[in-house]
Amino acid sequence: MDCPTCEASVDAYVDGELSARESAAFEQALTACPECRRRLQTARTIGGLLRDLPAERAPDLLRARLERDLRASASEPLAQVHRWRRRSAMAASLIVAVGVGWLAGTLTSQGGRQSDEMIASYLRVAMAETPVEVASSDRHTVKPWFAGRIDYAPPVHDLTADGFPLMGGRLDVVAGRKVAVLVYRRNQHRVVLSLWPASAGDNVSPTVTQRDGFALAEWRHAGFGMRAVSDISPGEMSSFAAALDRAVDTDR
């Protein structure tokens, strides 16, 4: 099993969806792939957080919709069914968590509200059927899309040359404010960048931290506050922030 196949098999391995032969090949491939081992640890961490959620009965309407969609999925290819079930299970769990205030309480006490907001923004992208609302690597397509939707024009740059191609943009709400979000790709991973006009004008170098398998970056550059989150390594996150700053400076 090569490294890309190993990385793509992480979720199926955690969910027990691989055959005995596939599981053995996956475990053997792990010994030669540090990135896959880190990806596996992230998946297990998220799974553990979800298993710790309070057991609340789902609303009848939600239960009915899930049962309907499960029946409809019976005719779909097996891989599609597995992906749909993982996405539905995570979405349902997070709906319950928000309903009982778990994300606002337990996670805040463990790592800080700001980190929680960043990870929640990443999860909204990861769970979405379409992770971006405008899908393009062309800045001249993505940047105009924000016009009229928010009250500022975010800097938009494709970072393909640095290994972080732009997937597109979307809107999110952070601390009660609607903000621009750009989604980049790093191999099989997504990097979710939120940015808004900064109250202070001086630049602040990126601070990169790690929590629960996620790399978190926060900095201020060229009049914008920036936050980025992904399940890539902290070193890769530092490279992403540096590449973005260079692109912004080149455009000024």
Side-chain angles (χ1 to χ4, degrees):
M1 182 180 292
D2 58 19
C3 195
T5 303
C6 177
E7 187 173 350
S9 302
V10 168
D11 289 333
Y13 177 80
V14 171
D15 293 341
E17 296 169 357
L18 299 182
S19 67
R21 177 176 296 180
E22 290 170 332
S23 293
F26 174 84
E27 291 166 358
Q28 183 176 3
L30 280 178
T31 61
C33 186
E35 177 66 19
C36 293
R37 292 198 297 273
R38 189 183 59 76
R39 176 84 172 81
L40 176 61
Q41 181 58 45
T42 298
R44 284 173 168 167
T45 298
I46 294 175
L49 290 173
L50 293 177
R51 284 193 297 273
D52 289 340
L53 290 173
E56 297 285 337
R57 178 181 174 84
D60 291 339
L61 178 59
L62 176 60
R63 290 168 59 87
R65 291 181 62 183
L66 290 175
E67 290 173 0
R68 178 201 64 191
D69 291 341
L70 280 173
R71 287 194 297 270
S73 70
S75 60
E76 297 179 3
L78 185 59
Q80 279 186 253
V81 175
H82 289 326
R83 286 195 298 271
W84 185 92
R85 285 175 176 168
R86 285 196 296 272
R87 186 166 56 244
S88 297
M90 180 177 287
S93 297
L94 288 177
I95 289 170
V96 173
V98 171
V100 299
W102 186 82
L103 285 178
T106 304
L107 278 182
T108 298
S109 65
Q110 291 177 356
R113 180 170 312 216
Q114 186 169 291
S115 295
D116 296 341
E117 289 178 348
M118 296 171 71
I119 293 175
S121 180
Y122 174 86
L123 290 176
R124 283 192 288 273
V125 172
M127 292 190 307
E129 195 70 46
T130 53
V132 293
E133 295 173 84
V134 52
S136 177
S137 61
D138 183 359
R139 58 181 296 195
H140 300 295
T141 298
V142 177
K143 187 168 184 173
W145 180 87
F146 288 105
R149 292 179 168 87
I150 52 177
D151 57 1
Y152 61 94
V156 178
H157 298 277
D158 177 38
L159 305 177
T160 298
D162 297 286
F164 299 92
L166 176 66
M167 295 178 62
R170 59 181 284 145
L171 296 176
D172 201 354
V173 177
V174 177
R177 177 177 182 174
K178 190 157 54 173
V179 301
V181 174
L182 299 175
V183 181
Y184 292 84
R185 183 169 55 82
R186 177 67 165 179
N187 299 324
Q188 302 299 318
H189 309 279
R190 294 189 179 103
V191 181
V192 178
L193 171 71
S194 304
L195 61 170
W196 60 91
S199 56
D202 55 321
N203 292 343
V204 175
S205 299
T207 299
V208 179
T209 58
Q210 191 170 29
R211 175 184 164 194
D212 296 332
F214 293 99
L216 311 171
E218 182 177 14
W219 73 106
R220 190 165 61 238
H221 194 81
F224 281 89
M226 304 186 184
R227 293 180 185 173
V229 59
S230 179
D231 59 346
I232 59 178
S233 69
E236 289 175 304
M237 179 60 80
S238 295
S239 297
F240 169 77
L244 181 62
D245 286 353
R246 286 195 300 270
V248 171
D249 290 341
T250 300
D251 195 43
R252 295 173 70 184

